Amino acid sequence: SPETKEHFACVYDCYGDSYTVDTDMVQLKEVFSRMNNVG
Amino acid sequence: EMKVIRIHPVSDPHTTYFLQISWQKDLGTGFEVVLSDGKAAWNGRVSKEEISKEAADMEMDLEKYVGELRKVLLFEGGHADTYNFHISKEGMNKDYLQFSYEKNLKDVSFRLGSLMLQEVSSPAEIISKLISHCLDCMAGLEAKNECLQRENETLLSDLNDIQGQLQKCVEAKEKLENELYQRFILVLNEKKAKIRSLNKSLKEAEEMVKKSNQAR
Amino acid sequence: EMKVIRIHPVSDPHTTYFLQISWQKDLGTGFEVVLSDGKAAWNGRVSKEEISKEAADMEMDLEKYVGELRKVLLFEGGHADTYNFHISKEGMNKDYLQFSYEKNLKDVSFRLGSLMLQEVSSPAEIISKLISHCLDCMAGLEAKNECLQRENETLLSDLNDIQGQLQKCVEAKEKLENELYQRFILVLNEKKAKIRSLNKSLKEAEEMVKKSNQAR
């Protein structure tokens, strides 16, 4: 829903990485793996 | 070129004969034949013309015929027992011996060639040369062996080196990936901490604005 | 075991002789000698005791002496011209021949051994066996050659494969590094954009607080 979308936009960047929660190896790999054909 | 092979003629199966063929470059240009049983020796020659005539008589393509000669006289391509040799000393002239060679297919065999060989007056020299030729071949083969052996060892050590390098490269790749992730996480978490603190400050500032507006 | 070598005795330098040595496992346990010039053949035997006695007479360690025998009689370790052979048929008995072998150092030579060889009544068989032995050695060497050749080809192709894999691994490592940096930059820049926008909002909020306080 737009609200949820709004909420996610505040909490996560467009790659799905949280703005405020510290990341770790697993999570960062997860974020990178979703970012295919970066170029 | 020269090649020595051991034969057991059908006509004299218990005796080992040594057949020495020598030729220039291509067997089809003619060849010398020496036959010996270790005591006596006979020699003869087959000319280029006789080879062509023989092929024509058999209506066989010359190239194919020379290929057959290489198989029967030089043992080329391994010697399935598809070839036989015949020796007969029954001729009028005791100094001559008839030597023939044939190919046997399933139930029929056809003669590939035959020639008269003349007994050599001093077989010792011929036999000595034949043995010398064998020893030279052995020396050549041993030298080739050593060279191949050395090549083998070099290749094996190169292979081990490269395998080591590949192993190192794989490890380096994993190490690089881990290190980069470690660094990325540190920098990223710094930024996230900054965002958290800015969020907190912003929240406080908005609170103050609200209060200040209320107070006013 | 058996080994055939070609020798040119000092006492008969223009004649090529073939020396065939056969022994069980260790040469030091005694060996058979066959000598042939391609026409006649002589044979004899050296026993274990005679070998030990010979070594003792020369006050040489038995092991070292057997090592010398391997060099002179089997051509082991290449045959620098440090060894000579002597043949003499002058003995009383025509059927016997004295065969001796010696080592020459700079200006002196000492005899390593000698023995009486008896002429063989049917040399053809001996010579035939000697030639057969050479042909068997050649066949064995050729087989070994082929096997080494095949091994070489396998090693070469393995080496090429591994080199290809190494090349790929190096490229993959570089590619990985680039991709990780690119991804990291994107994610990091999102955080920086966020920080910029938070800074901006915070600044605006602080402005508002200031204004609101002034207004009050």
Side-chain angles (χ1 to χ4, degrees), chain B residues 176-193:
Chain B
L176 170 79
E177 189 174 3
N178 281 327
E179 276 175 6
L180 285 179
Y181 270 108
Q182 298 306 339
R183 292 197 189 114
F184 290 168
I185 288 164
L186 289 175
V187 171
L188 213 45
N189 286 347
E190 276 299 305
K191 296 295 177 263
K192 293 181 181 220

Side-chain angles (χ1 to χ4, degrees), chain C residues 17-29:
Chain C
Y17 283 84
F18 300 100
L19 178 65
Q20 177 184 292
I21 304 289
S22 23
W23 71 99
Q24 305 282 344
K25 282 200 200 81
D26 167 18
L27 198 66
T29 58

Side-chain angles (χ1 to χ4, degrees), chain C:
Chain C
E1 305 221 19
M2 190 186 279
K3 174 102 184 196
V4 177
I5 64 171
R6 190 172 16 197
I7 61 171
H8 295 93
V10 172
S11 45
D12 186 357
H14 302 298
T15 309
T16 301
Y17 283 84
F18 300 100
L19 178 65
Q20 177 184 292
I21 304 289
S22 23
W23 71 99
Q24 305 282 344
K25 282 200 200 81
D26 167 18
L27 198 66
T29 58
F31 52 89
E32 305 284 332
V33 178
V34 170
L35 190 68
S36 171
D37 58 1
K39 182 180 174 65
W42 297 264
N43 66 7
R45 176 172 170 67
V46 175
S47 69
K48 185 180 164 107
E49 294 66 30
E50 285 162 323
I51 292 175
S52 319
K53 184 175 172 309
E54 198 73 59
D57 293 354
M58 274 191 272
E59 288 162 29
M60 191 189 279
D61 159 57
L62 180 59
E63 188 114 344
K64 190 169 177 327
Y65 177 66
V66 174
E68 287 295 325
L69 287 181
R70 296 190 73 88
K71 281 185 201 155
V72 62
L73 298 174
L74 309 181
F75 259 36
E76 262 190 13
H79 208 295
D81 54 2
T82 51
Y83 297 97
N84 282 340
F85 298 91
H86 289 270
I87 284 178
S88 75
K89 297 173 188 167
E90 273 66 58
M92 269 75 75
N93 185 333
K94 279 283 153 266
D95 292 351
Y96 280 83
L97 160 157
Q98 169 136 47
F99 173 66
S100 59
Y101 35 99
E102 65 184 21
K103 176 170 190 172
N104 13 320
L105 301 172
K106 281 184 208 56
D107 44 8
V108 72
S109 63
F110 62 91
R111 211 176 63 182
L112 278 170
S114 89
L115 70 153
M116 295 305 287
L117 297 177
Q118 179 170 17
E119 181 151 10
V120 172
S121 52
S122 62
E125 197 192 328
I126 293 257
I127 291 170
S128 176
K129 280 207 179 98
L130 187 143
I131 300 172
S132 279
H133 167 72
C134 291
L135 292 177
D136 293 340
C137 284
M138 284 161 66
L141 285 165
E142 272 157 4
K144 177 109 174 82
N145 251 333
E146 273 163 36
C147 163
L148 282 169
Q149 198 71 42
R150 273 197 304 279
E151 235 175 84
N152 257 354
E153 279 146 25
T154 313
L155 283 170
L156 213 51
S157 81
D158 290 353
L159 195 59
N160 291 334
D161 290 351
I162 283 266
Q163 267 157 348
Q165 285 176 42
L166 179 61
Q167 182 57 31
K168 279 204 191 89
C169 179
V170 167
E171 285 159 9
K173 182 163 165 281
E174 279 152 21
K175 189 163 168 275
L176 170 82
E177 190 171 3
N178 287 332
E179 285 189 354
L180 286 180
Y181 270 114
Q182 282 179 5
R183 285 174 164 75
F184 177 61
I185 288 162
L186 289 171
V187 171
L188 188 62
N189 287 346
E190 281 300 306
K191 304 300 170 298
K192 292 187 174 184
K194 182 73 177 177
I195 289 170
R196 279 196 301 277
S197 86
L198 283 172
N199 276 331
K200 189 164 163 287
S201 317
L202 184 60
K203 212 166 169 186
E204 282 159 8
E206 279 161 355
E207 280 301 311
M208 283 172 72
V209 166
K210 214 186 287 175
K211 277 191 194 125
S212 158
N213 288 346
Q214 274 160 3
R216 199 170 51 165

Side-chain angles (χ1 to χ4, degrees), chain B residues 117-131:
Chain B
L117 297 178
Q118 180 171 14
E119 182 150 9
V120 172
S121 51
S122 61
E125 195 192 329
I126 293 257
I127 291 169
S128 175
K129 279 206 182 103
L130 187 143
I131 299 173

